[in-house]
Amino acid sequence: MDLLEDSAGDNAHEFTVSELSGAVKRNIEDQFGRVRVRGEIGRVSRPSSGHLYFDLKDDRSVLAAVTWKGQASRLAQRPEEGMEVVATGRMTTFPGQSKYQLIVDQIEPAGMGALMAMLEKRRKALAAEGLFDDARKRPLPFLPRVIGVVTSPSGAVIRDILHRLRDRFPTHVLIWPVAVQGEACAPQVAAAIRGFNDLPRGGTVPRPDLIIVARGGGSIEDLWGFNEEEVVRAAAASDIPLISAVGHETDTTLIDFASDRRAPTPTAAAELAVPVRSDLAARLAEAGARMSRASGLRIERPRQRLRDLARAMGRPAALTEGARQRLDLWGTRLEPALRGLVRARRQQLASRPMPAASLRQFTSAKRQSLEYNVRQLRNSGQRQVERRKDRLLQLRERLESSLRRVTAMTRRAIGTQSERLAELTLRLDQSAHRAINQRRDALLRLDRMRRTLGYEQTLRRGFAVVHGAGGVVTSAAAAGKLAHFEIEFADGRIQAGPDDSRSEPGRKAKGGKTDDGPSQGSLF
């Protein structure tokens, strides 16, 4: 370059600072128009202007690098200190500080090993804080009323999730659209998780009972946004249970460790979120049948127990039969014994003479004593029978009281279970009616659309369809080649043809003349 060809001596050309800086800038940009530089990133700076400043270094040198605001938002890989990358850009100078620098518009990891090493380092640091502990993970709700989905609204992922939810158990779904790769992925996903958690309960927008963070498969660079620290911390701090469904089965990101449950695919996440409605209906029917059987057993078992106890107690008459029989036996034996005793006494008196007065007195005393003993014996038997009767009456009253208490308790239990079963049955019927009404309305809408789009409606507006031997005739030339054809109107069909000479009102005859009716002219 002429400006740089200086000669020694006092006649050497004198440059201004700007001239010399411009010459150096042009020379560097000409020699290094677009280069790829491999090195380790150091001293990353992100000022409020949105530009990105960092250093590329190796073991001996340091190269200043800058990425302007518009290019920084499109970088596939965000530069972080310690990463080994291959930066692509153009060399230039910054005359304001007499330095050269690389304007970077593309950054790629230098190798999978370096990227995975950085990922493992970050994973260990977050695990040391307890963000991945199993004790922090919450169980998923059995039947969430509202599900929040954080994903791209235009991809196949959201369609797969909605389709699977509709097949298993239709529920209310809120979609928070985010970018699923690139520079904007991490802040948008973290903001979506925090936004769902910040929704108030009972507000105009329902608060989700479950969050699904989903994305399809891709390379480690495409999924890198879900490895960012802000996304992991947002997932770990979520009060709402969260399912991570990022990538396919072999893909693993740091959000998988912080989430409450990891799904291998977005479709599997929908299967984890809700049960199958038909299975729930079958289980409900089975539970209702079991409750009915249990209610019947609650009544039948006490009744059978009461019958068993009644059989064990025996009849009240049976309790007195033995005593009555013994009383009858002793009663029948008493009279012969008395007679025998009288005979013995008479013989005793006959063998030993006794004055008549004494004999009468002795006989009277014995008779009185004997009658007294008989009365005492009868009274004792009657009192014993009365006591047994009173005891039996008391037992009967206690038994009837126990039976009434058991029956009342059983009736209350059956009433409670019957009310619960009726409520569940009503809810199930209402759900089935709603589903049937929705499908009936959809069918009616489709039928109305079919009738609206059908050609019969067009015929009623004054149009006609021409049918030939080979199908519908769509041109005058094709109709002219046919000997006969049919014209279909809204109220029927008529036969016609180019050479039709039948005399009908308004129809043209063979000679070109018309009948008495007005001239209609050719159809074509």
Side-chain angles (χ1 to χ4, degrees):
M1 185 176 292
D2 294 340
L3 292 176
L4 298 179
E5 294 176 356
D6 299 335
S7 58
D10 295 339
N11 294 327
H13 180 71
E14 295 179 354
F15 296 98
T16 64
V17 175
S18 297
E19 288 176 345
L20 187 57
S21 297
V24 172
K25 179 180 179 68
R26 288 191 297 273
N27 190 34
I28 290 178
E29 290 179 352
D30 289 343
Q31 294 294 324
F32 304 98
R34 186 167 180 81
V35 295
R36 289 167 54 87
V37 182
R38 178 168 182 162
E40 181 181 341
I41 294 178
R43 195 187 57 81
V44 180
S45 175
R46 298 181 179 87
S48 59
S49 61
H51 306 314
L52 189 62
Y53 300 94
F54 56 95
D55 293 336
L56 290 173
K57 60 183 180 178
D58 54 16
D59 55 346
R60 291 178 294 179
S61 303
V62 177
L63 174 63
V66 60
T67 300
W68 307 125
K69 178 180 179 180
Q71 296 170 334
S73 61
R74 293 192 296 268
L75 290 178
Q77 182 66 49
R78 296 179 62 180
E80 295 186 12
E81 190 170 352
M83 288 179 58
E84 186 176 1
V85 298
V86 174
T88 304
R90 57 185 179 84
M91 289 296 300
T92 186
T93 63
F94 181 46
Q97 295 183 357
S98 298
K99 58 184 294 188
Y100 61 93
Q101 58 188 6
L102 178 66
I103 307 298
V104 178
D105 55 25
Q106 183 179 351
I107 295 178
E108 302 172 1
M112 188 62 68
L115 198 61
M116 295 304 295
M118 184 186 66
L119 180 62
E120 181 63 19
K121 178 181 178 182
R122 182 179 297 173
R123 187 190 68 80
K124 290 181 178 179
L126 296 174
E129 298 183 21
L131 299 182
F132 303 155
D133 292 346
D134 292 337
R136 300 182 65 261
K137 300 183 184 297
R138 294 169 298 277
L140 303 181
F142 174 70
L143 192 59
R145 295 181 180 273
V146 181
I147 298 177
V149 180
V150 179
T151 188
S152 172
S154 59
V157 171
I158 187 61
R159 293 196 297 270
D160 294 342
I161 292 176
L162 294 177
H163 177 71
R164 186 50 56 94
L165 290 176
R166 185 168 54 249
D167 289 344
R168 291 174 65 86
F169 201 106
T171 186
H172 190 185
V173 177
L174 293 178
I175 302 175
W176 195 300
V178 296
V180 292
Q181 72 180 58
E183 183 76 15
C185 173
Q188 290 186 12
V189 172
I193 296 175
R194 290 191 296 266
F196 275 137
N197 281 270
D198 291 339
L199 289 176
R201 296 184 183 275
T204 55
V205 178
R207 189 172 189 264
D209 301 318
L210 180 67
I211 298 177
I212 298 177
V213 179
R215 187 206 187 279
S219 63
I220 187 173
E221 292 84 1
D222 295 337
L223 304 179
W224 193 259
F226 299 92
N227 293 319
E228 296 294 344
E229 183 175 347
E230 60 178 327
V231 174
V232 176
R233 293 189 181 277
S238 175
D239 293 331
I240 303 174
L242 187 143
I243 298 178
S244 171
V246 178
H248 298 304
E249 286 194 48
T250 57
D251 299 324
T252 302
T253 55
L254 293 184
I255 193 177
D256 295 336
F257 298 99
S259 61
D260 298 298
R261 194 77 175 269
R262 177 186 181 268
T265 61
T267 303
E271 295 176 355
L272 291 174
V274 295
V276 181
R277 183 171 57 181
S278 58
D279 293 347
L280 290 181
R283 289 172 58 186
L284 182 61
E286 181 183 359
R290 291 176 59 189
M291 185 171 64
S292 299
R293 291 194 299 268
S295 300
L297 290 176
R298 287 290 298 273
I299 298 174
E300 184 60 28
R301 285 177 179 174
R303 182 180 298 167
Q304 183 63 35
R305 178 62 176 166
L306 184 60
R307 288 195 293 263
D308 295 341
L309 291 175
R311 285 195 297 268
M313 290 180 62
R315 295 178 294 107
L319 298 177
T320 60
E321 284 177 355
R324 185 181 300 164
Q325 187 176 4
R326 286 194 301 272
L327 180 60
D328 294 339
L329 177 62
W330 285 105
T332 57
R333 294 173 61 184
L334 180 61
E335 186 176 354
L338 290 176
R339 290 193 184 99
L341 180 61
V342 171
R343 283 195 301 269
R345 291 295 183 181
R346 283 178 180 177
Q347 293 176 0
Q348 193 177 36
L349 289 174
S351 62
R352 188 175 56 181
M354 182 178 294
S358 298
L359 180 59
R360 284 193 300 271
Q361 184 180 4
F362 176 76
T363 302
S364 177
K366 288 298 183 179
R367 185 182 293 115
Q368 292 175 0
S369 177
L370 183 59
E371 290 176 355
Y372 176 76
N373 289 332
V374 171
R375 286 195 301 270
Q376 290 294 329
L377 183 59
R378 287 177 178 175
N379 292 334
S380 177
Q382 290 178 355
R383 285 194 299 271
Q384 188 174 5
V385 171
E386 293 296 333
R387 285 196 300 271
R388 294 295 178 87
K389 287 182 178 180
D390 294 339
R391 179 62 177 165
L392 288 176
L393 291 175
Q394 292 176 359
L395 291 176
R396 180 179 178 181
E397 292 176 357
R398 292 175 57 187
L399 184 60
E400 290 177 351
S401 177
S402 300
L403 179 60
R404 286 194 296 270
R405 287 197 300 271
V406 171
T407 304
M409 293 172 60
T410 305
R411 287 177 179 173
R412 286 196 297 269
I414 292 174
T416 303
Q417 297 296 334
S418 299
E419 292 175 359
R420 177 61 177 167
L421 179 60
E423 181 184 356
L424 293 177
T425 304
L426 179 60
R427 291 173 59 187
L428 182 60
D429 291 341
Q430 292 175 350
S431 177
H433 288 318
R434 283 196 299 271
I436 292 173
N437 292 333
Q438 290 175 358
R439 284 166 173 76
R440 183 185 295 112
D441 293 341
L443 184 60
L444 291 175
R445 288 194 299 271
L446 291 175
D447 186 60
R448 287 195 298 269
M449 183 179 295
R450 178 188 64 79
R451 292 197 299 268
T452 302
L453 299 179
Y455 78 97
E456 290 85 356
Q457 297 295 330
T458 306
L459 294 179
R460 290 191 180 93
R461 292 196 296 269
F463 294 88
V465 179
V466 180
H467 298 275
V472 177
V473 179
T474 59
S475 65
K481 297 177 182 179
L482 297 176
H484 295 284
F485 49 82
E486 290 184 348
I487 302 177
E488 181 181 359
F489 297 93
D491 56 349
R493 297 188 179 189
I494 63 171
Q495 298 288 336
D499 56 350
D500 194 350
S501 60
R502 288 174 298 176
S503 297
E504 296 179 1
R507 182 175 298 276
K508 194 171 183 180
K510 286 186 178 180
K513 298 181 180 180
T514 60
D515 295 337
D516 296 338
S519 176
Q520 178 179 336
S522 174
L523 289 173
F524 309 101

